[in-house]
Amino acid sequence: MDKEKAVLICVSGLDAFSDREFSYLCPKELENRVFPGAKVVVPFGRGGRKREGIVTGFSKSDGSIPLKYVIKAENEETFVTEADISLARFMAKRYYAPLYECLNLMSIPGTGVKFRGYYVLGENKELPDNELSRKITDYIYENEKATLKELTEAFSQRGFKTAFDLLLKNKNIALFEEMNDHGGKMLQTAYLTENRGLIDEFINNYQNKARAQIRLLEALTDCDGMPVTELIAVSGTTRASVKALCDRDLIEIRNEPAKMELFSEEKMFSSEKPILNSEQENAVKTVLSGRGKFSEYLIKGVTGSGKTEIYLTLCENIINEGKQAIILVPEISLTPQIRARFFGRFGDKVAVLHSALSVSERREEWRKIKNGEVSVAVGARSAVFAPFSDLSMIIIDEEHETSYKSEMSPRYDAKEIARFKMQKTGGTLVLASATPAVSTFYRTETGESTLITLKKRYNDVPLPEVEIVDLRNELKGGNHGVLSERLRECLIKSRESGEKSILLLNRRGYSTFISCRDCGHVIKCPKCEVALTYHSAENRLKCHYCQTTVPTPSECPECGSNSIRYFGSGTQKLEEELYKIFPEASVIRMDNDTTVAKMSHERLLKRFEKEKGSILVGTQMIAKGLDFKDVSVVGVVSADSTLFVGGYLGNEKTFSLITQVCGRAGRGEKRGLAVVQTYQPDHYAIEAAKTQDYDKFYENEIKFRRNVKYPPFCEIINIIFTGENEKEILEFAEGIKPLMTEAVKIYPQRESYIAMYGPMPCSIAKIKDKYRFHITIKCKSAHSVRDSLFYALSKLMARGRKGISVHIDVNPVSFL
DNA sequence: AGCACGCCGACT
DNA sequence: GTCGGCGTGCTC
């Protein structure tokens, strides 16, 4: 008899420690649709509930356990390749993530865990004779369906489980598994109606009455329909005005599958080939000379040295080879300006992936890549998984940015993924930055990567002059304000000559914390272990970690005194102070609070560009991707604010942030001025920033890293435990020590193991009522401690751990 | 996460 | 004795 085909499948919904591949049989009728890479539906667990799975290989099952059958095979477009499977295996091991979740990143977007179990009324209408049964069925009847979780919460009384089980057994209720289908998401799109006459009439008659509605109509006249959310953002209005126009029958809203809509400016952007200078040409030549086998480059080029032209030229070469390339940029840089350059150059040969896309737009881009309709993909972190068939180059712009590391499971590092992919296919990896990550630069010293340096700035504009202001002297001089005398002077001068200024202050809100003068009590978030920040716009205190807000207290909640004081300054306060000095000026504030709405980022920048003598105030989001003429002054209000947070990366973050933002000064012909305010003028990160001297910074920093054994001289594994009960977490986490001792005996790789610290409270010890502890492991390589750590953690997780969740972060970039 | 099995305590 | 609560371990 023909043996039935048995396949290995990774199943959704397992945690990293119980994650395994399972064997299933394939029914005859599905035989040619079930093979490695295919998405399938399988029964799983004792209840045989449906789950999504991905076939990872063929099983050599010996028949010792009875196998279940694959229920369904999905259609073709959900497939992943064998190369994806081996990449996913690497990721699952390296980042301690479930294999399914890794593969899911590579398959078509918006197909997460598909099945939700609901309970509905069953065929048997005769209920057991008890009140609880009736209540449960009534609840389901009223809501049509209910999840088990919902029911357990609604009937958190004794006897629920029994009654529930009985109902299920009697078929009074039944399980209904629903597909949680995100596919083909519809988007509300606004169109002008056919009543053109009425529209013109309305615009004329309501000039001064319904300004918002008129702006909406104007925005719509130039285009053929626009998604409502975008329309609101572009015209700076609200949903209420949209509704009003609908009621007047002037516009209509249709539900449409979302399309990727190009902005007119993107289409119009010139497609002229840039003329490269000799440095740029050399860079291109060097990179291309290594083609044909895996090679890695680091392009270190000051801001304005024209790195984007190099990327464009490299991509062009790849396209001519008939191959494909990915360009990764930090999310924040995916502004229309940058997108425009790629569209201008490659037209419809380029796919763009960014966070503002809806699921269906993302699917469409993914499909174009998969079908070979495009040859270049530009996108943020997750674009590294773009499913090209003959990918041959990956370029990572601003490679020092920490956003290339995912902070959600799977906590992957796009740089490592890119390297893995290029190594496998013999492609080229290009990293680029004005201020490379110290770990990246180190690779050029060990020979793992080739350094390419660009020194010339576009049009030979000199780098800005950087002045350091010692804030301790300001204090001595009696100036307690946010702005030093010197910076204030420069701002005034800049405004007088009609030029723009940019001020960086890496703290949002008004004040950083508020406390009582009499008893010293600091007002903290009720759910998190952090101080609340005062936000003047809402006149409330906000928690930046859980978004809770509370009214501003007029007296101290501890001692009742009414001398509450606001300490520290954020962007809101700075904005206010600037208005005091320049009542006439246009001060534009850009931070998380002002840019939550889609597109508002771009609107704010446009305003800044348009208005003479305007001042831009913002958090680190203003440091990148901005390209303005006539910015004569850049101010760094508090240079040390990133110095001692962010763990060992603090120095590097500070140096690159200051350098980046200072580079915004004086583009165009004139030399700009940057004023850096600090309490630590002698710190080497600040000193090096003064002369914009990366090499000097690197020299100091690598010495420090080597001395205290930090990356690149080790790898760090952070294990984070969270839960409601402080004591239980601590006890649980302590359990890892003996297990680790045991594990190291079984997997003798001790030479790699450097040290284990903790458990200790995280630097934010509580978020949303959950306490947080962490254990940090330093090792020569994460790879060689993987087996022993996995052993210890699996055993640890196998014990009762009510309410404690554990996650692992390999080489974290944030240590909160 | 969810589901069944099995141990233990309360109630008949 | 029996029912039901709750902890423990497994899922092809």
Side-chain angles (χ1 to χ4, degrees), chain A residues 465-469 484 486-487 490 633-637 662 673-677:
Chain A
E465 183 187 336
V466 180
E467 267 186 49
I468 307 286
V469 172
S484 59
R486 178 64 183 142
L487 183 51
C490 294
V633 173
V634 164
V636 179
V637 177
C662 290
L673 173 68
V675 177
V676 175
Q677 305 189 145

Side-chain angles (χ1 to χ4, degrees), chain A residues 38 51 76 78 83 151 200 361 369 533 605 616 644 732 760 782 791:
Chain A
R51 292 216 186 161
E76 202 170 323
T78 60
L151 288 167
D200 291 339
E361 287 168 322
I369 296 166
T533 307
L605 290 179
L616 181 67
F644 302 109
F732 183 77
M760 52 209 162
Y791 171 90

Side-chain angles (χ1 to χ4, degrees), chain A residues 260-411:
Chain A
M260 177 71 188
E261 186 72 48
L262 299 189
F263 299 95
S264 43
E265 54 183 321
E266 287 176 355
K267 288 182 196 149
M268 281 159 47
F269 205 90
S270 126
S271 59
E272 258 173 61
K273 271 193 192 189
I275 300 159
L276 302 185
N277 65 29
S278 60
E279 263 189 2
Q280 291 170 315
E281 219 159 275
N282 262 331
V284 170
K285 248 188 231 152
T286 310
V287 172
L288 292 178
S289 71
R291 298 283 295 151
K293 59 174 197 322
F294 168 70
S295 42
E296 179 177 333
Y297 300 90
L298 171 62
I299 301 179
K300 176 172 157 289
V302 291
T303 28
S305 56
K307 291 191 287 284
T308 312
E309 279 83 43
I310 297 175
Y311 308 157
L312 291 168
T313 312
L314 286 172
C315 285
E316 195 155 65
N317 276 280
I318 299 296
I319 294 175
N320 290 341
E321 284 179 31
K323 299 188 171 171
Q324 300 116 23
I326 293 173
I327 296 160
L328 297 185
V329 294
E331 183 67 56
I332 199 77
S333 301
L334 271 169
T335 50
Q337 292 116 301
I338 298 213
R339 302 210 299 262
R341 300 179 74 164
F342 283 92
F343 278 121
R345 192 63 179 280
F346 300 116
D348 51 16
K349 278 295 199 194
V350 58
V352 175
L353 301 154
H354 58 93
S355 67
L357 296 184
S358 69
V359 174
S360 47
E361 287 168 322
R362 219 177 285 263
R363 282 177 162 235
E364 177 56 16
E365 296 302 283
W366 192 89
R367 198 196 50 75
K368 281 199 272 185
I369 296 166
K370 189 89 180 165
N371 291 349
E373 292 167 32
V374 296
S375 302
V376 177
V378 183
R381 181 177 63 228
S382 62
V384 77
F385 299 111
F388 285 117
S389 59
D390 199 2
L391 181 67
S392 192
M393 181 178 284
I394 299 178
I395 299 170
I396 304 184
D397 186 35
E398 309 282 355
E399 67 80 33
H400 63 281
E401 281 293 314
T402 53
S403 66
Y404 290 120
K405 178 76 166 45
S406 171
E407 304 253 39
M408 281 182 340
S409 170
R411 295 181 165 72

